[in-house]
Amino acid sequence: MGSTPAELPYGTWPSSIDAATAASHDGSPDHLGHVGEELWWTAPRPAEGGRRTLVRRRADGTEESALPAPWNVRNSVMGYGGFPWTGRTGAHGPLVVFTHFGDQRLYVVEPDAPDSAPRPLTPLSPVGEGLRWCEPVFAPSGEEVWCVLEEFTGEEPTDLRRVLAAVPLDGSAAEDRTAVRELTDDAHRFVTGPKLSPDGTQAVWLAWDHPRMPWDGTELRHASITPEGVLTDARTLIGGPGEAVAQAEFTPEGALLAATERGNWWNLHRVDPASGEAVNLCPREEETGGPLWKAGMRWFAPLEGGLVAMLHGRGGNALGILDPAAGTLVDAAGPWTEWSATLAVHGGRVTGVAAGPASGAEIVELDTVTGRARVVAAPHHDAVDPAYYPVAEERVFTGPGGRDIHVHLYPPHHPEATGPAGTPAPYVMWAHGGPTGYAPCVLDLEIAYFTSRGIGVAEVNYGGSAHYGKEYRERLREQWGIVDVEDCAAVARALADEGLADPERLAVRGGSAGGWTTGASLVCTDVYACGTILYPILDLTGWATSGTHDFESQYLEGLIGPLAEVPTRYEERSPANHPEQVAAPFVLLQGLDDPICPPVQCERFLDALASAPGGGVPHAYLTFEGEGHGFRRLDTLVRSLEAELSLYAQTFGFEAAGVPHLELRTAEQR
């Protein structure tokens, strides 16, 4: 029999999950692909300056990093980056083309060759932020890689063009921009990388234009490829305003498949390249597709013989194998409840990145012949006793007007401690970014960092979140700062009414769009005792007028309304314009190299706060050099978590042992 848990004040429970442990497990594998018999992917390295390395798993199962520090296999196409590498078997084994984040150039490397140093394939540019590349694929000739070229034409974040381009593998374009051959014109503001037919005679890609975001509507473009490697007869097959094609590619037999949203759900369709006729292969009221935040996301992968591996579900992604001819869909067995939109196939095997409520992201292979699924790389290892992990609860709360609010609830959990009898726990509402995103129900040691100390977490997939259908996502249209704020507050109040949460010890936190929701919540409600705001949007007008990168520069047209028509709406909803209404202390956490939500957003808010009576509420502002949008470095992640816990300790009234004290001051005291 186990001992009776000790009654300890919430927030003070002794936890083996310290900030360094949580931070060292931040990030997950991504960008899977095969080079011959080898599996390759990118992996995070928080302790190495936050870079992403390229990992190879040899045919014998051994793993190694193919590129040492400081090589960083990322790019900044569309701000968030696109698929950063491709590979094939060459004369000396693998031949890999990749993008390096430091200079955004394409490089080629043969790691098993005598001279294995990466060689640049593309030039630098002195204009604006230069040249960027993503989604490389080998051309039919084998002598080029075809990819997305994002080219800056001026100094402003929106001074750029995007085309499909051909880069020679011989390195002749490394110092010569004219050696890069453009495959398309720049008639469309945004394009994704080309997907080629098996016989090399056809190419498809996605395109869209401002003010649409890719989940508002995209076009599936199709072109023929001449023997000389020229794209001809380019035309739109399906899509347009109101129809969002999320992914398209050819099967090994040459059929064209696309995940497109014709109605309330993304479903998988077969598309006739000649007529554009689209047939739904698996009509279901669930998603096979999602918001295209990064070029190269892959929700389905065709297999030989007509089968298709596809992610599907509501509020999460399961991996299934679809047989279109038989009309059957069989899911992979195992403990994984969430699969990332990065699938790779080789023969009859499907490989993906999967996680579950008790396991972090790991690389899983499904053998479609035997039906067996197994972890083949990046296996989850319990960094601490799993008894400290939170136990997730899937809840649906009721918001204003009776609308549903989907929530992952993580009550405080500890194997040897409990809160004082009859006392509700402090809770933090977590607002995810996007806001067209969602929070998956998987093990997150950052959540466990708080729950194992006696602080509950509610991840709120507020109205506007993805993976619950288009109608749910569209709740946020012109309602950002209202629906998201109301939904988070409704969950907080409901938890308090149920006696689970202490109404005097509620907090809200979020990053990026979640930072906006947090800031707006502190201005518009009196629900919260404090808030943690990470790399936020706080001044809508400033953000909409050259205050962010090109991809999201007109995002607010849908989230708030056209600036030219409703300028007062932008002013009224911006937290920076209402500092006097902030009554709860907060901490602001900001990367100084963030091009998406730049530091000026925080600075305007703090300047406004300084004009409030007494300099406003106590707060702290922590900035981090070398960090962009979303933190990647180990020391930054540790400092951020500890600062957040210190804020809660001071506000909720407990001692955070071993955590540096966060100094909170009013603007007048600074």
Side-chain angles (χ1 to χ4, degrees):
M1 295 178 64
S3 60
T4 302
E7 281 195 8
L8 297 173
Y10 291 111
T12 68
W13 301 353
S15 175
S16 59
I17 306 174
D18 59 15
T21 300
S24 64
H25 290 78
D26 187 73
S28 64
D30 201 356
H31 308 121
L32 303 184
H34 286 92
V35 182
E37 294 296 318
E38 297 183 358
L39 178 66
W40 289 56
W41 66 92
T42 67
R45 294 290 186 263
E48 298 177 20
R51 77 181 184 105
R52 290 195 74 89
T53 191
L54 195 56
V55 180
R56 63 188 291 193
R57 179 180 185 269
R58 295 177 182 267
D60 63 5
T62 59
E63 295 179 21
E64 63 189 57
S65 176
L67 293 168
W71 293 106
N72 190 354
V73 185
R74 292 172 54 208
N75 58 71
S76 296
V77 172
M78 294 198 313
Y80 295 102
F83 204 100
W85 73 276
T86 191
R88 71 181 184 199
T89 301
H92 301 285
L95 183 149
V96 174
V97 175
F98 68 95
T99 58
H100 174 52
F101 187 77
D103 58 15
Q104 297 292 313
R105 300 170 86 181
L106 273 176
Y107 287 80
V108 63
V109 64
E110 294 181 89
D112 297 340
D115 181 8
S116 60
R119 295 181 289 107
L121 295 180
T122 55
L124 296 170
S125 170
V127 179
E129 297 180 48
L131 305 173
R132 299 172 176 175
W133 317 81
C134 78
E135 280 201 275
V137 297
F138 291 102
S141 68
E143 298 176 356
E144 299 172 319
V145 286
W146 291 1
C147 55
V148 175
L149 162 59
E150 183 176 82
E151 181 173 25
F152 281 79
T153 58
E155 298 301 323
E156 294 299 318
T158 54
D159 291 340
L160 49 72
R161 58 195 293 270
R162 297 179 184 88
V163 298
L164 300 185
V167 177
L169 283 170
D170 62 9
S172 58
E175 304 296 335
D176 182 6
R177 168 67 177 83
T178 64
V180 175
R181 190 166 59 90
E182 297 192 6
L183 299 169
T184 64
D185 60 26
D186 57 2
H188 291 284
R189 187 70 169 189
F190 301 96
V191 293
T192 63
K195 303 295 184 182
L196 309 184
S197 62
D199 62 5
T201 64
Q202 302 176 75
V204 293
W205 65 96
L206 304 181
W208 69 97
D209 295 287
H210 282 315
R212 278 180 280 149
M213 299 300 288
W215 43 89
D216 296 326
T218 61
E219 298 177 28
L220 175 56
R221 301 283 289 170
H222 176 277
S224 299
I225 305 174
T226 70
E228 296 76 27
V230 175
L231 300 186
T232 64
D233 302 322
R235 67 196 193 284
T236 296
L237 291 180
I238 62 172
E243 180 181 353
V245 186
Q247 179 193 344
E249 57 187 85
F250 292 94
T251 70
E253 293 77 28
L256 177 59
L257 303 182
T260 189
E261 192 180 51
R262 294 189 161 187
N264 195 42
W265 307 95
W266 273 292
N267 280 180
L268 186 66
H269 291 68
R270 181 186 295 115
V271 182
D272 184 346
S275 66
E277 180 184 1
V279 177
N280 195 334
L281 298 180
C282 190
R284 289 184 172 216
E285 292 188 348
E286 58 181 25
E287 307 284 26
T288 295
L292 189 67
W293 279 101
K294 300 180 180 182
M297 296 177 72
R298 202 178 192 203
W299 290 271
F300 70 86
L303 293 142
E304 294 179 356
L307 300 179
V308 184
M310 54 180 266
L311 306 183
H312 68 100
R314 287 192 187 193
N317 285 322
L319 173 64
I321 303 299
L322 174 69
D323 183 341
T328 58
L329 179 64
V330 179
D331 284 349
W336 310 283
T337 56
E338 179 69 24
W339 293 73
S340 301
T342 176
L343 297 176
V345 298
H346 186 68
R349 291 172 291 159
V350 182
T351 309
V353 176
S359 62
E362 48 194 356
I363 298 178
V364 180
E365 177 189 86
L366 171 65
D367 187 326
T368 60
V369 176
T370 65
R372 180 191 178 199
R374 65 189 181 104
V375 176
V376 295
H380 169 79
H381 294 293
D382 290 318
V384 299
D385 184 342
Y388 288 89
Y389 295 164
V391 179
E393 300 176 14
E394 297 282 346
R395 296 285 303 273
V396 179
F397 290 86
T398 301
R403 63 179 183 250
D404 290 343
I405 309 168
H406 296 275
V407 176
H408 307 313
L409 191 66
Y410 299 92
H413 181 79
H414 194 286
E416 298 175 348
T418 186
T423 304
Y427 261 85
V428 185
M429 306 300 110
W430 280 35
H432 62 71
T436 310
Y438 83 113
C441 188
V442 298
L443 177 64
D444 184 338
L445 289 187
E446 290 193 5
I447 291 177
Y449 176 75
F450 295 104
T451 58
S452 63
R453 286 171 167 76
I455 301 172
V457 170
E459 281 190 308
V460 184
N461 280 317
Y462 48 80
S465 300
H467 288 274
Y468 298 98
K470 185 175 183 178
E471 292 179 4
Y472 194 89
R473 194 176 75 239
E474 288 288 305
R475 288 182 188 176
L476 212 56
R477 186 163 292 279
E478 299 196 7
Q479 297 297 307
W480 197 36
I482 297 177
V483 166
D484 50 324
V485 170
E486 289 178 345
D487 284 1
C488 289
V491 172
R493 291 189 182 102
L495 291 173
D497 290 344
E498 291 178 15
L500 297 177
D502 184 342
E504 302 301 317
R505 293 189 292 175
L506 295 169
V508 59
R509 69 95 78 176
S512 189
W516 154 267
T517 300
T518 300
S521 295
L522 295 181
V523 167
C524 299
T525 75
D526 59 0
V527 174
Y528 307 106
C530 62
T532 300
I533 308 172
L534 300 97
Y535 36 90
I537 301 165
L538 297 169
D539 170 21
L540 292 175
T541 304
W543 199 75
T545 54
S546 299
T548 188
H549 62 152
D550 184 61
F551 178 58
E552 295 178 272
S553 62
Q554 296 185 36
Y555 194 6
L556 300 186
E557 297 283 298
L559 291 174
I560 305 296
L563 178 59
E565 298 176 15
V566 290
T568 56
R569 190 182 296 172
Y570 283 66
E571 298 295 326
E572 291 169 354
R573 293 192 195 172
S574 293
N577 294 331
H578 305 285
E580 73 286 350
Q581 294 178 209
V582 181
F586 62 87
V587 58
L588 268 175
L589 303 165
Q590 177 68 48
L592 293 177
D593 296 337
D594 189 345
I596 297 171
C597 294
V600 68
Q601 285 284 314
C602 293
E603 293 161 5
R604 289 171 181 163
F605 181 58
L606 294 175
D607 288 345
L609 196 68
S611 65
V617 298
H619 60 272
Y621 179 41
L622 304 183
T623 60
F624 303 96
E625 292 186 1
E627 291 285 11
H629 196 66
F631 301 151
R632 296 174 177 271
R633 299 183 177 186
L634 185 65
D635 54 347
T636 303
L637 294 164
V638 169
R639 181 73 180 105
S640 298
L641 278 173
E642 291 181 339
E644 185 174 354
L645 181 59
S646 181
L647 171 70
Y648 299 153
Q650 295 178 60
T651 308
F652 296 157
F654 63 85
E655 291 292 328
V659 173
H661 178 78
L662 177 70
E663 188 169 4
L664 301 173
R665 295 181 178 181
T666 66
E668 194 173 69
Q669 294 171 328
R670 290 184 178 275

